[in-house]
Amino acid sequence: MAMRMSSLFLRTLRDNPADAELPGHRLLVRAGYIRRAAPGIYTWLPLGLKVLRKVEAIVREEMDAIGAQELTFPALLPREPYEASNRWTEYGDNIFRLKDRKDADYLLGPTHEEMFTLAVKDMYSSYKDLPLSLYQIQNKYRDEARPRAGLLRGREFIMKDSYSFDVSDEGLDASYQAHREAYIRIFDRLGFEYVIVSAMSGAMGGSASEEFLAVSEIGEDTFVRNDAGTYAANVEAVVVPTADAVDASGMPAAHVEDTPDTPTIETLVSVLNASHPRSDGREWTAADTLKNVLVMLVHPDGTREPLAIGVPGDREVDAKRLEAQVGPAEVEAFEEKDFARYPMLAKGYIGPGVLGEEKSSGIRYLLDPRIGAGSAWVTGADETGKHVLDLVHGRDFTADGTIQAAEVREGDASPDGNGVLHTARGIEMGHIFQLGRKFAEALDLKVLDENGKLVTVTMGSYGIGVSRAVAAIAEGNLDDAGLIWPRNVTPADVHVVATGKNRERDGDVFAKADELTEAFEAAGLDVIYDDREKVSPGVKFKDSELIGVPTIVVVGKSLENGIVEIKDRRTGERREVPVDSVLDEVLAEVRGATA
Amino acid sequence: MAMRMSSLFLRTLRDNPADAELPGHRLLVRAGYIRRAAPGIYTWLPLGLKVLRKVEAIVREEMDAIGAQELTFPALLPREPYEASNRWTEYGDNIFRLKDRKDADYLLGPTHEEMFTLAVKDMYSSYKDLPLSLYQIQNKYRDEARPRAGLLRGREFIMKDSYSFDVSDEGLDASYQAHREAYIRIFDRLGFEYVIVSAMSGAMGGSASEEFLAVSEIGEDTFVRNDAGTYAANVEAVVVPTADAVDASGMPAAHVEDTPDTPTIETLVSVLNASHPRSDGREWTAADTLKNVLVMLVHPDGTREPLAIGVPGDREVDAKRLEAQVGPAEVEAFEEKDFARYPMLAKGYIGPGVLGEEKSSGIRYLLDPRIGAGSAWVTGADETGKHVLDLVHGRDFTADGTIQAAEVREGDASPDGNGVLHTARGIEMGHIFQLGRKFAEALDLKVLDENGKLVTVTMGSYGIGVSRAVAAIAEGNLDDAGLIWPRNVTPADVHVVATGKNRERDGDVFAKADELTEAFEAAGLDVIYDDREKVSPGVKFKDSELIGVPTIVVVGKSLENGIVEIKDRRTGERREVPVDSVLDEVLAEVRGATA
């Protein structure tokens, strides 16, 4: 049934809504696709629901095509399975918890690994039942600290989550690959520009993991890739290779020097160059120094643990990379009161002399992999106003391990050795994980193998942000006048505008527009029909551009000469077409694009 | 794509699940349609989801056909709108409440009157925008005290809720009527035996209200109807007419008599007949006595209010009818400790002498409408062992009002004067209300009328239990062997069984079954195909009967003679058909039934 603007539940807005920051989000609100109900919680108005359903249908078709089976778990879930997997605690403040009238604990599902695992455990018992892939398209909940950007990071949102179950690692590889290929087809059909990048698996545990990012300046994720196309990774997942070991046998002994008033790398470098010139005449740079950064980890159970990170002085610790490494712990600043508890830490002059679990501070100490064995550094001497020079890693100090937490920069060497990295931003649209046996072990999902032996099942977990996809498509398909929907997800195939003022005066225009609308519908097209009376042509044109259906058919004055206008919303191109050929022309456009 | 039993996520159970009480619920679990995740919270397995989607599609089509527009509100809702309508409090323990990380209050939506009202207020401002009907099909939440009977009364469930918005009462009537007719078409298509009964509007407020009940012995609702078909009502909504006034001028004066040890109606009647015979010689019966029942009302704000109800001694107070009258207050027993606080109440001998707000107890006193003005009664004399006789209503005592709380019984006079009532049980499948202006007033939804004056909008609210419909259909369509789906909602149109043991030995059988499956699919049918190897024909037949697809095609031994069997699941009829005509025969059955 055509959506007639005279009765469609829609009110377009000329002004930008106060609570929308991004251009696509503003347009989705202004054009009447969505409305905010609470922070990070949205209502889907009729037009928005049409787009959402089209995205869902594409996802469903491609999941069905790889043999994944759809089911639907509840959104309101009992605590116990999430207790067994430890996620009840690990999620911290990020999930919504509630109690029922009997004081039993529930949560609103953030993802459903536990429930799928239990369902398979409940129903299957043999290797012969596997492989198996299951999925659902459903409301998910996360109590985001900073819900942002409309549908991009909501607190109630729609996700397709699927899970694969296999007995062997090879089976998991195959299931993972099938999902990867399905995702490629899905994102191709949705009309995104996207990249597939290596990713961290985060709170999920597991091993191999990739993200599908929509390339977008407004994305929250930063990724890097090299020119050759041999390497692409979410910045959190970049693994900088450990620097090659250097033979330190001929290096001078470490020596402490006075470096008054040098609490920062910048002041240190200038004092070094002024008072402690290098024997080979080269200038000291920040890259010659070893900066020791302290943070406080807060574990899900509330315990606080200090952590020291050593990075070359020309790099900062990247908060997101650090969080990805230490999760589910959260990272807080190391504050004055924390320093007070560790008097051996000389703020601004902290060195490896006191760091490390077996040294005086007892603070765990992790190094950036660029701090190679045998490399020499200028670093704090654990006394205000003093630094130590020629301190050699492995000879003069050791750490408790390495950590991938230093910032990754444009122009850094590609970890695969193939050229340099370029950074860009993206929106995480999909994420595929090889979960492995973590959840199956926690929930005791085992099946009998060919030899009658119980083996633990290995799982994959695969997500697509369905409501987020609508937002990402909007952000990537717009201009100053409004949205421009790709054919596959447009709320309607064609938007018919009758420019007449009212049916009495402009009977022919309305009659022809009615007739075309019916003809389009009879041909199976979805139609928005602007049949409003007493609304000026200007307002109708503006609304049609704001709403963003790709093909706009204008029935107006030229009808006297048997002419109707077809406008391409994306290119802006308008062409006059004899009224008798409009149907064929529009059908050709719609079918050509979706073929 | 055919659902192949060799890979379908399904494990049928031979034994009844411990947590299922009703036959349909047991079969839905045993046949792999649903699984319990928590009390009143269910997972939809692949087969169940197919049925659910078919029910949803029928509901959606009929709602679209009356011009209702679909949108989707969130399930997680902010407190404020529900505070404005007072439902945050009125719902008491029946809604799930939770807090977000910022300590803001939220609820899981039980119904969405408030949100729809606010959306219309947000977008519309003129009478020209109305009438408007909006709907959604969505997860709803109620924290039921006794979740029961699987999907029939869940705590997370799927509902279609719609709302109409009009400026005039006539408009509301028309919107209500349109929904009523759509509901008739929906329930006709779903294949229910149903009745439309007058209903209470309960916590919703509002005036006219009807329920669609699936007639079923296992239903929680009791309804009554007369033979002529002129009256049908949910028992809670039966309005017993007030008894005609009687001229009491010639009646004897009231007199207190000793009636030792008569704390019950039964003992009272026998003592009356033994010691206080009537002058006209008729026997005393329970119907001659006035029984005063005390209950404690608990209001949503926690305050407790005693209430006395006077009913003829041959009738009990019906808890559900009472609750429907006093809601949102809940009804609790009047306990010993409550009696202790009202020493003027002589337990077993309570009479109107102390009841009524202006009398010594201060307890509100409401009478059954059968206690007509001028009628004489035997009732308690407010002293242990004593009753008062010939106490005349209006002459000797008054009450604070009437209440429709006495039980309604088979054979009672129909309130419309047309014959007697018969009682039966049903499952509430749909409910249509004329809400009126309650929510619009609470949330200030006004539009400009034709004269430019602001008027409050009048609303209707219309619900269908979508997940409950699946359960009700199952309860009404089963036999000892399993489920028997009506054509319109079956998970598949045809269930193909290949009776061969394995593809090696019975290659022809499997090849023909494969071929038929493909032919059915090519013709647009949904197919379940039992292609399992190493599973006996007996098990396959049992599973096909348990699952309940209406048409079963068995490819087996007779294939040698060019014969395939078609079985009608409902009638049990089997017929042998030449293999070449199977497709046509099945298509005729499917299309004939759904035409």
Side-chain angles (χ1 to χ4, degrees):
Chain A
M1 216 154 357
M3 291 176 272
R4 288 169 177 261
M5 295 280 281
S6 59
S7 57
L8 183 62
F9 187 54
L10 173 72
R11 192 60 81 242
T12 57
L13 307 175
R14 293 287 156 245
D15 296 319
N16 282 323
D19 57 3
E21 310 147 39
L22 300 177
H25 181 202
R26 280 189 210 119
L27 291 171
L28 285 171
V29 175
R30 281 184 47 205
Y33 286 78
I34 59 169
R35 273 285 192 284
R36 200 182 85 132
I41 302 175
Y42 285 83
T43 300
W44 294 87
L45 297 175
L47 285 182
L49 197 56
K50 292 266 179 201
V51 176
L52 182 66
R53 294 270 191 264
K54 291 205 177 176
V55 173
E56 285 181 5
I58 289 171
V59 172
R60 187 169 279 127
E61 276 174 36
E62 297 296 347
M63 293 311 299
D64 290 346
I66 60 166
Q69 299 179 54
E70 186 174 5
L71 36 64
T72 308
F73 282 91
L76 179 61
L77 299 172
R79 169 178 177 159
E80 292 71 24
Y82 287 77
E83 191 69 65
S85 69
N86 205 32
R87 293 210 296 172
W88 176 265
T89 307
E90 281 179 7
Y91 264 111
D93 282 344
N94 293 309
I95 52 171
F96 289 102
R97 296 180 181 79
L98 66 159
K99 285 178 181 292
D100 74 0
R101 64 197 294 154
K102 290 180 176 155
D103 219 38
D105 282 316
Y106 285 81
L107 73 158
L108 299 181
T111 60
H112 281 67
E113 278 77 359
E114 289 82 353
M115 301 306 292
F116 277 86
T117 307
L118 288 174
V120 175
K121 179 181 173 182
D122 181 24
M123 294 180 45
Y124 279 177
S125 57
S126 161
Y127 76 97
K128 287 183 227 159
D129 299 323
L130 306 182
L132 171 71
S133 285
L134 301 172
Y135 78 99
Q136 60 179 353
I137 298 177
Q138 191 223 31
N139 269 358
K140 295 274 186 288
Y141 296 86
R142 287 197 201 154
D143 196 359
E144 295 284 349
R146 290 169 294 277
R148 107 177 239 283
L151 303 171
L152 280 184
R153 184 167 288 280
R155 298 198 295 168
E156 173 175 299
F157 55 98
I158 299 165
M159 224 177 112
K160 186 286 298 175
D161 51 331
S162 46
Y163 305 88
S164 66
F165 300 85
D166 284 275
V167 276
S168 68
D169 293 348
E170 297 70 41
L172 171 56
D173 279 341
S175 296
Y176 181 89
Q177 200 56 35
H179 273 86
R180 192 177 196 275
E181 281 157 21
Y183 276 37
I184 289 172
R185 285 188 294 271
I186 289 166
F187 292 115
D188 283 348
R189 288 178 67 183
L190 293 179
F192 282 117
E193 187 200 343
Y194 66 93
V195 287
I196 306 174
V197 302
S198 303
M200 292 293 295
S201 43
M204 292 297 177
S207 51
S209 159
E210 289 170 290
E211 281 172 1
F212 289 71
L213 300 180
V215 179
S216 169
E217 281 173 20
I218 55 122
E220 285 188 301
D221 285 270
T222 305
F223 67 93
V224 293
R225 53 182 164 179
N226 63 3
D227 289 315
T230 57
Y231 185 87
N234 191 310
V235 79
E236 280 100 316
V238 171
V239 178
V240 175
T242 302
D244 290 337
V246 172
D247 178 9
S249 55
M251 292 188 186
H255 47 106
V256 173
E257 302 290 345
D258 281 330
T259 53
D261 297 326
T262 55
T264 65
I265 297 296
E266 200 180 17
T267 51
L268 172 61
V269 168
S270 73
V271 165
L272 286 175
N273 281 321
S275 317
H276 304 278
R278 284 218 270 215
S279 51
D280 63 5
R282 281 188 298 129
E283 289 265 301
W284 291 106
T285 71
D288 299 315
T289 69
L290 167 59
K291 175 163 68 178
N292 295 299
V293 177
L294 280 151
V295 296
M296 186 62 76
L297 303 186
V298 184
H299 292 284
D301 65 3
T303 60
R304 302 169 71 82
E305 181 206 353
L307 176 68
I309 300 161
V311 294
D314 62 337
R315 285 187 191 260
E316 301 301 328
V317 169
D318 178 314
K320 283 189 164 184
R321 277 172 59 76
L322 173 57
E323 276 163 14
Q325 293 295 330
V326 300
E330 293 191 354
V331 177
E332 291 190 357
F334 197 85
E335 296 180 347
E336 286 303 330
K337 66 176 193 308
D338 299 314
F339 276 106
R341 292 186 48 223
Y342 292 91
M344 71 294 289
L345 298 178
K347 204 176 164 187
Y349 302 88
I350 301 166
V354 298
L355 299 173
E357 292 193 55
E358 303 197 351
K359 287 182 238 152
S360 63
S361 70
I363 294 174
R364 189 151 61 105
Y365 182 40
L366 301 174
L367 289 178
D368 185 73
R370 292 174 184 83
I371 319 290
S375 59
W377 302 88
V378 179
T379 188
D382 300 310
E383 198 176 326
T384 302
K386 290 186 194 295
H387 279 86
V388 55
L389 280 68
D390 292 319
L391 194 77
V392 173
H393 181 205
R395 181 189 77 180
D396 304 323
F397 74 100
T398 56
D400 299 309
T402 59
I403 186 166
Q404 295 283 345
E407 60 182 322
V408 175
R409 291 196 298 232
E410 177 81 26
D412 279 354
S414 179
D416 72 349
N418 206 343
V420 298
L421 296 178
H422 303 289
T423 63
R425 297 184 74 81
I427 302 166
E428 183 191 337
M429 297 311 313
H431 199 160
I432 54 179
F433 291 109
Q434 295 199 4
L435 272 184
R437 297 182 171 82
K438 170 180 167 168
F439 286 90
E441 266 159 18
L443 298 160
D444 198 33
L445 168 59
K446 294 192 168 108
V447 294
L448 292 171
D449 72 5
E450 288 165 299
N451 307 313
K453 253 184 51 188
L454 276 174
V455 292
T456 302
V457 169
T458 183
M459 292 169 55
S461 161
Y462 317 90
I464 288 179
V466 174
S467 44
R468 181 182 287 182
V470 174
I473 295 168
E475 298 297 343
N477 294 276
L478 53 79
D479 62 15
D480 289 344
L483 296 159
I484 310 169
W485 292 104
R487 280 262 167 237
N488 284 344
V489 296
T490 177
D493 299 301
V494 56
H495 184 130
V496 177
V497 176
T499 64
K501 214 48 184 169
N502 63 58
R503 284 180 179 269
E504 220 157 280
R505 221 186 55 188
D506 304 298
D508 290 352
V509 164
F510 280 95
K512 181 52 74 180
D514 289 353
E515 191 190 298
L516 278 175
T517 296
E518 277 163 36
F520 288 139
E521 287 197 280
L525 302 191
D526 290 331
V527 189
I528 295 177
Y529 174 21
D530 198 341
D531 62 336
R532 289 177 293 178
E533 301 185 68
K534 295 184 204 161
V535 172
S536 76
V539 167
K540 290 185 179 181
F541 293 147
K542 274 217 168 68
D543 279 344
S544 71
E545 301 209 308
L546 182 59
I547 290 168
V549 170
T551 300
I552 301 165
V553 170
V554 183
V555 184
K557 283 242 180 300
S558 317
L559 185 65
E560 291 171 11
N561 311 317
I563 296 292
V564 160
E565 187 181 278
I566 300 182
K567 182 173 165 184
D568 183 306
R569 171 68 185 90
R570 191 173 289 272
T571 63
E573 183 220 337
R574 302 147 178 267
R575 60 187 202 277
E576 299 201 321
V577 169
V579 68
D580 292 341
S581 60
V582 176
L583 177 61
D584 288 341
E585 297 246 352
V586 169
L587 282 178
E589 264 184 38
V590 172
R591 291 181 182 155
T594 57
Chain B
M1 215 151 0
M3 291 176 272
R4 288 169 177 261
M5 295 280 280
S6 59
S7 56
L8 184 61
F9 187 55
L10 172 72
R11 192 60 81 242
T12 57
L13 307 174
R14 293 288 156 244
D15 297 319
N16 282 323
D19 56 3
E21 309 147 39
L22 300 177
H25 181 201
R26 282 188 209 119
L27 290 172
L28 285 172
V29 175
R30 281 185 48 204
Y33 286 79
I34 59 169
R35 272 284 192 288
R36 198 181 86 132
I41 302 176
Y42 285 83
T43 300
W44 296 87
L45 297 175
L47 285 181
L49 196 57
K50 292 266 179 203
V51 177
L52 181 67
R53 295 269 190 264
K54 291 204 178 177
V55 173
E56 284 181 4
I58 288 171
V59 172
R60 188 168 278 127
E61 276 174 35
E62 296 297 348
M63 294 310 299
D64 290 346
I66 60 167
Q69 299 179 55
E70 186 175 4
L71 37 63
T72 308
F73 281 92
L76 179 61
L77 298 171
R79 168 178 177 159
E80 292 72 22
Y82 286 77
E83 191 70 65
S85 69
N86 205 32
R87 295 209 297 171
W88 176 264
T89 307
E90 280 178 7
Y91 264 111
D93 282 344
N94 293 309
I95 51 170
F96 289 102
R97 296 181 181 80
L98 65 158
K99 285 179 182 290
D100 73 0
R101 64 196 295 153
K102 291 182 175 153
D103 220 38
D105 281 317
Y106 285 81
L107 74 158
L108 298 181
T111 60
H112 281 67
E113 279 77 359
E114 289 83 352
M115 300 306 292
F116 277 85
T117 308
L118 288 174
V120 175
K121 179 180 173 182
D122 180 24
M123 293 180 46
Y124 279 176
S125 57
S126 161
Y127 75 98
K128 288 184 227 158
D129 299 324
L130 305 182
L132 171 71
S133 285
L134 300 172
Y135 78 100
Q136 60 178 352
I137 297 178
Q138 191 223 32
N139 269 358
K140 295 273 186 286
Y141 296 86
R142 285 193 204 158
D143 196 0
E144 296 285 348
R146 289 169 295 277
R148 106 175 239 284
L151 303 172
L152 280 184
R153 185 168 287 279
R155 300 199 294 168
E156 173 176 299
F157 54 98
I158 299 165
M159 223 177 114
K160 186 285 298 176
D161 51 332
S162 46
Y163 305 89
S164 66
F165 300 86
D166 285 275
V167 276
S168 68
D169 294 349
E170 297 70 38
L172 171 56
D173 280 341
S175 297
Y176 182 89
Q177 201 55 37
H179 274 86
R180 192 178 196 276
E181 282 158 19
Y183 276 37
I184 289 172
R185 285 189 293 271
I186 288 167
F187 292 115
D188 284 347
R189 289 178 67 183
L190 293 180
F192 283 117
E193 187 199 344
Y194 66 92
V195 287
I196 306 174
V197 302
S198 303
M200 292 292 296
S201 44
M204 291 299 177
S207 51
S209 160
E210 287 170 292
E211 281 172 0
F212 289 70
L213 300 180
V215 179
S216 170
E217 282 174 18
I218 56 123
E220 284 189 301
D221 284 87
T222 304
F223 68 93
V224 294
R225 52 182 166 180
N226 63 2
D227 289 316
T230 57
Y231 185 87
N234 190 310
V235 80
E236 280 100 316
V238 171
V239 179
V240 175
T242 302
D244 290 339
V246 172
D247 180 9
S249 53
M251 292 189 188
H255 46 107
V256 174
E257 301 291 345
D258 280 330
T259 53
D261 297 325
T262 56
T264 65
I265 297 295
E266 201 178 17
T267 51
L268 172 61
V269 169
S270 72
V271 165
L272 286 175
N273 282 320
S275 318
H276 305 278
R278 283 217 270 214
S279 51
D280 62 5
R282 282 188 297 131
E283 289 265 298
W284 292 105
T285 71
D288 299 315
T289 69
L290 167 59
K291 175 162 70 178
N292 296 299
V293 177
L294 279 150
V295 296
M296 186 62 77
L297 303 186
V298 184
H299 293 284
D301 64 3
T303 60
R304 302 169 72 83
E305 182 206 352
L307 175 69
I309 302 160
V311 294
D314 63 337
R315 288 190 189 257
E316 301 301 327
V317 170
D318 179 313
K320 282 189 164 184
R321 276 172 59 76
L322 174 57
E323 275 163 13
Q325 293 294 331
V326 300
E330 293 190 355
V331 178
E332 291 188 359
F334 197 84
E335 296 179 347
E336 286 304 330
K337 66 177 194 308
D338 299 314
F339 276 106
R341 291 186 48 223
Y342 292 92
M344 70 294 289
L345 299 178
K347 204 177 163 187
Y349 303 88
I350 301 166
V354 299
L355 299 174
E357 291 193 56
E358 303 198 350
K359 289 183 236 150
S360 64
S361 70
I363 295 175
R364 190 152 61 106
Y365 183 40
L366 301 174
L367 288 177
D368 185 72
R370 292 172 184 83
I371 320 291
S375 58
W377 301 87
V378 180
T379 189
D382 300 311
E383 197 175 326
T384 302
K386 291 189 193 293
H387 278 87
V388 55
L389 280 66
D390 292 320
L391 193 77
V392 173
H393 181 203
R395 182 190 75 180
D396 304 324
F397 75 99
T398 56
D400 300 309
T402 60
I403 187 166
Q404 295 283 344
E407 60 182 323
V408 175
R409 291 195 299 233
E410 177 80 28
D412 279 353
S414 179
D416 71 349
N418 205 344
V420 298
L421 296 179
H422 303 289
T423 64
R425 298 184 73 81
I427 302 166
E428 183 191 337
M429 298 310 314
H431 200 160
I432 55 179
F433 292 109
Q434 295 199 4
L435 272 184
R437 297 182 170 81
K438 170 181 166 167
F439 286 90
E441 265 159 18
L443 297 161
D444 198 31
L445 169 59
K446 294 193 168 108
V447 294
L448 291 171
D449 72 5
E450 288 165 299
N451 308 314
K453 253 185 51 187
L454 276 174
V455 293
T456 301
V457 169
T458 182
M459 291 168 57
S461 161
Y462 316 90
I464 288 180
V466 173
S467 45
R468 179 182 287 182
V470 174
I473 295 167
E475 298 297 345
N477 294 277
L478 52 80
D479 62 16
D480 289 342
L483 296 160
I484 310 170
W485 292 104
R487 280 259 168 239
N488 283 345
V489 297
T490 177
D493 299 301
V494 56
H495 184 131
V496 177
V497 176
T499 64
K501 224 22 192 180
N502 62 58
R503 285 182 178 265
E504 222 157 279
R505 223 186 55 189
D506 303 298
D508 290 352
V509 165
F510 279 96
K512 181 52 73 180
D514 289 352
E515 191 190 297
L516 279 174
T517 297
E518 277 163 34
F520 290 138
E521 287 198 279
L525 302 190
D526 290 332
V527 189
I528 294 178
Y529 175 21
D530 198 341
D531 61 337
R532 289 176 292 177
E533 300 184 69
K534 294 183 204 160
V535 173
S536 76
V539 167
K540 290 185 178 179
F541 294 147
K542 275 217 168 71
D543 279 344
S544 72
E545 300 209 307
L546 182 59
I547 290 168
V549 169
T551 301
I552 301 165
V553 170
V554 182
V555 184
K557 284 241 179 302
S558 317
L559 186 63
E560 291 169 12
N561 311 316
I563 295 293
V564 160
E565 188 181 276
I566 300 181
K567 183 173 166 186
D568 183 308
R569 171 67 185 91
R570 189 172 292 272
T571 64
E573 183 220 337
R574 300 148 179 270
R575 61 189 202 278
E576 300 202 320
V577 170
V579 67
D580 292 341
S581 61
V582 176
L583 177 61
D584 288 341
E585 297 246 353
V586 170
L587 281 178
E589 265 185 38
V590 173
R591 290 182 183 153
T594 56

